[in-house]
Amino acid sequence: MEDAVPATHVELFALQPRLSLEDYDSPAAFARKHRALAQRVSDSRARDSAGTPLHPALVVWPEWVGAPLGMMGQLPRLRHHPTARRAMRSVALFEWWSLWNTWKDLHPPTREEGLHALRAARVHQVMHETFSAIARDFGLWVVAGSAWLPSNRRGLDTPDFTPHGARTFNTSYTFAPGGFHVATTRKVNLVPTREDTLRLSPGRPEDLSVIATPFGRLATVLGYDAFPGPLTSHEPYFVPCARYCDALRADILAHPSSALWPMSRDAGRTPRRDDVLTAELSSFRNIRYTVTAQPAGTLFEHTFEAPSLILERTAEGSARVLARSEHPGDEDLLHVTVPACPR
């Protein structure tokens, strides 16, 4: 049951799961992994003498947490592939007949987009059922990381999925404590040489939304969308989405991310920008808290070593670190209790 009255405080959690291909072997394996993390969250919550949580809780999973679900059921033949793109190619070759039928129905311009569309119904079902159940069973507000999905003709709050075309987005779902799907966020700025090679499409900034909760107005941006500007000189349409959400009067910014080392500029290398919101927060007028969740471990060619982070904008306008992972390469959970921002 969702909170009916404004809250005085909110518990903020940033999850830093260690990614492993074994957790994507089946829907049950995926659910088991993330329900175990949700149980850790539940065990950490403040409760009264009857065991009832004292405050609502927001839990943020990292970006890309659902992306390998597109390879579910074929993991044994994919383990030797050095890159995610080559693994996807192997899946496409194995499912060539189904991929051909998808091409006839949707006419995707590339093989990758056809494979995303082919697998979308299963990916969506697993993401929706896993995180809807977590939100409902543990009484949590959940920002469920992200997966690669086209738009759904069936609408928001349903495990059923029919792709609306083959354009695929880096997509995040938000669930309320009743298990209801209340928001969808699509990444607007794709990281050059990383997400564009996967044939993902950029979302539209005007589709970014702010939802009302008992503890304040919540918005979500994915990874690179939190940056104030582009990493290269070849991105003329870059949109600073965190600033956009601040202009929409968000109070809390959920930031599922998946920072890699290193990230490149036009010339040379630049330090990993896992703490980009630390510098940005002081320029905001409305966002008070940011919750950045990062993955850990290695998945194909990607090694994730950026620390998760929870920040507060102080009354003086500076950024204060409330929690930061001390073990960026390992599984971790960050937890703080802060005053709510009801309007």
Side-chain angles (χ1 to χ4, degrees):
M1 181 176 179
E2 296 179 33
D3 306 273
V5 296
T8 60
H9 291 75
V10 58
E11 295 185 81
L12 303 177
F13 292 88
L15 286 179
Q16 186 173 285
R18 187 171 186 84
L19 301 185
S20 170
L21 280 178
E22 284 72 20
D23 298 323
Y24 299 90
D25 187 52
S26 67
F30 184 78
R32 185 165 54 247
K33 166 72 174 183
H34 295 287
R35 288 186 69 87
L37 292 168
Q39 185 63 59
R40 288 184 60 187
V41 168
S42 183
D43 292 343
S44 302
R45 296 184 68 182
R47 299 177 183 272
D48 62 19
S49 58
T52 303
L54 293 174
H55 315 294
L58 169 68
V59 188
V60 182
W61 264 260
E63 186 182 22
W64 279 35
V65 74
L69 288 171
M71 306 174 193
M72 186 170 50
Q74 297 197 29
L75 296 186
R77 68 171 55 86
L78 303 181
R79 298 184 191 282
H80 67 281
H81 289 293
T83 68
R85 194 175 184 189
R86 288 184 62 177
M88 289 170 59
R89 185 180 304 167
S90 178
V91 173
L93 290 173
F94 185 79
E95 299 199 26
W96 67 271
W97 181 250
S98 296
L99 191 58
W100 168 252
N101 288 327
T102 299
W103 182 86
K104 287 196 299 182
D105 290 339
L106 300 175
H107 301 289
T110 65
R111 175 181 53 202
E112 290 84 359
E113 287 162 293
L115 183 60
H116 294 320
L118 170 64
R119 287 277 173 148
R122 195 68 184 278
V123 173
H124 167 82
Q125 181 182 34
V126 174
M127 289 291 288
H128 188 282
E129 291 184 348
T130 298
F131 289 105
S132 174
I134 285 173
R136 181 187 64 245
D137 296 346
F138 293 94
L140 303 170
W141 288 85
V142 169
V143 177
S146 75
W148 303 334
L149 291 162
S151 299
N152 187 5
R153 287 187 184 274
R154 303 294 185 94
L156 281 180
D157 198 28
T158 173
D160 298 327
F161 190 96
T162 301
H164 183 66
R167 292 189 67 201
T168 300
F169 307 90
N170 190 352
T171 304
S172 180
Y173 293 157
T174 300
F175 297 90
F180 301 109
H181 181 173
V182 293
T184 295
T185 302
R186 298 185 181 94
K187 191 169 186 177
V188 174
N189 304 293
L190 303 181
V191 178
T193 73
R194 181 182 172 194
E195 290 168 310
D196 50 359
T197 61
L198 296 169
R199 302 304 180 188
L200 300 179
S201 294
R204 302 186 305 176
E206 58 267 32
D207 290 339
L208 294 172
S209 62
V210 176
I211 60 172
T213 76
F215 48 85
R217 289 164 56 84
L218 172 66
T220 298
V221 295
L222 289 167
Y224 191 29
D225 281 354
F227 278 57
L231 285 171
T232 75
S233 60
H234 310 299
E235 301 169 78
Y237 302 110
F238 184 93
V239 179
C241 294
R243 295 181 184 178
Y244 188 93
C245 292
D246 185 61
L248 293 175
R249 301 181 66 208
D251 300 304
I252 300 174
L253 188 69
H255 180 217
S257 189
S258 56
L260 299 174
W261 175 266
M263 298 182 76
S264 63
R265 283 192 184 273
D266 288 343
R269 298 288 183 179
T270 186
R272 182 180 59 213
R273 297 291 299 278
D274 52 74
D275 61 347
V276 61
L277 284 172
T278 306
E280 276 291 275
L281 195 56
S282 61
S283 67
F284 294 158
R285 300 186 62 183
N286 294 294
I287 293 174
R288 185 172 177 184
Y289 305 111
T290 65
V291 183
T292 298
Q294 302 276 7
T298 298
L299 202 63
F300 295 109
E301 75 271 34
H302 302 305
T303 297
F304 303 99
E305 295 181 342
S308 299
L309 189 67
I310 302 177
L311 301 173
E312 176 188 24
R313 182 171 56 83
T314 67
E316 295 76 29
S318 60
R320 178 170 64 181
V321 176
L322 299 179
R324 181 187 181 95
S325 176
E326 297 180 0
H327 310 285
D330 296 324
E331 196 155 280
D332 204 355
L333 179 152
L334 303 186
H335 173 210
V336 300
T337 302
V338 297
C341 312
R343 292 181 183 269

